[in-house]
Amino acid sequence: MMTTKETGNVSGRDTRMCGDPKTWFPMRVTYQREMKVKAELDRLGIENFVPMRYKVVESQSDGDTELRRMLVPAINNLIFVRETQERVSELKRTNEVLEPLRYMMDRTVACGHTIMTVADREMENFMRVASRTDDSVMFLDEEAVVGKEGKRVEIMGGVFEGVTGVIRRVKRCKRVVVEIEGVASVAIAYVPAGVLKEIG
């Protein structure tokens, strides 16, 4: 575990001995400025991810109201950043655009001041599904999922081949749900039962 000088918070895992010390941080962004923050991170060459979806919104044009289909963040105030904790903390302190970034705390550990991180493999699995912007996926809130957790499965064919998730009941249908616990969940609208393999 590492402790930052700026916050005194403990990082979720010690990456100092790894070949690449960068890790994924799920972070909150105040006042829905996630796209402004993303643009600045892109400018700095820092890997990041904002789940997106299409939404129909009203817009004004020459005094008329018209409906437009726009790509918007699927989960308000959330962005994932892959960098070292020291670099993220430095940017929060010195870059005005990135100051709104807030670490998320891991409530599953005994220490209440542990910064949440996401392993590369878990993040890659989530992004395989959450990067889709069509109707093949749906982002979930806690109320959308009912019942106990089901079997863990791997998808063995199709566009989501290699993705792992859990069978859960969503809106009265069983679906494969990919989740980053305590952060975000996304369900695949339809997966043929024949391409699902139960895993431990």
Side-chain angles (χ1 to χ4, degrees):
M1 297 287 184
M2 293 189 297
T3 304
T4 63
K5 293 180 181 178
E6 179 207 3
T7 64
N9 291 320
V10 179
S11 177
R13 59 178 181 149
D14 189 340
T15 59
R16 289 173 295 181
M17 300 303 293
C18 300
D20 184 354
K22 297 177 183 178
T23 191
W24 282 102
F25 294 95
M27 304 191 78
R28 294 296 182 195
V29 185
T30 57
Y31 304 114
Q32 299 182 340
R33 288 178 282 190
E34 53 269 65
M35 297 312 294
K36 184 176 180 181
V37 167
K38 175 176 175 52
E40 181 66 3
L41 291 170
D42 289 344
R43 186 186 72 81
L44 295 170
I46 296 174
E47 189 174 0
N48 65 88
F49 177 65
V50 176
M52 304 290 287
R53 66 182 176 91
Y54 279 101
K55 181 180 180 180
V56 176
V57 298
E58 290 186 356
S59 63
Q60 297 289 330
S61 178
D62 296 328
D64 295 326
T65 300
E66 58 182 37
L67 298 178
R68 294 176 55 198
R69 192 166 177 259
M70 294 182 60
L71 202 56
V72 300
I75 304 170
N76 287 338
N77 305 319
L78 176 68
I79 187 170
F80 295 89
V81 180
R82 188 176 186 274
E83 190 44 277
T84 64
Q85 187 174 336
E86 290 79 7
R87 175 72 167 144
V88 173
S89 295
E90 176 194 4
L91 289 170
K92 278 166 44 61
R93 197 169 54 246
T94 60
N95 187 308
E96 184 177 351
V97 177
L98 301 182
E99 188 279 331
L101 283 169
R102 298 290 181 265
Y103 289 113
M104 295 178 67
M105 297 297 126
D106 189 344
R107 307 300 180 189
T108 66
V109 296
C111 173
H113 299 287
T114 300
I115 293 172
M116 186 179 290
T117 62
V118 182
D120 285 351
R121 180 178 294 182
E122 183 182 4
M123 193 66 202
E124 288 164 9
N125 187 63
F126 177 76
M127 288 192 295
R128 281 281 310 280
V129 180
S131 61
R132 304 280 297 197
T133 57
D134 55 26
D135 294 336
S136 65
V137 302
M138 58 185 76
F139 290 89
L140 308 176
D141 54 32
E142 291 182 4
E143 291 74 25
V145 181
V146 296
K148 61 182 181 181
E149 187 171 297
K151 298 175 181 177
R152 187 158 187 81
V153 295
E154 179 178 352
I155 300 173
M156 305 304 293
V159 295
F160 295 110
E161 183 174 3
V163 167
T164 60
V166 176
I167 300 292
R168 305 193 70 171
R169 189 171 294 278
V170 180
K171 296 182 178 178
R172 296 182 292 183
C173 296
K174 288 184 178 180
R175 307 186 193 276
V176 177
V177 175
V178 178
E179 178 180 46
I180 295 179
E181 187 177 355
V183 180
S185 298
V186 59
I188 301 173
Y190 174 73
V191 181
V195 301
L196 295 179
K197 174 186 175 182
E198 187 174 348
I199 57 178

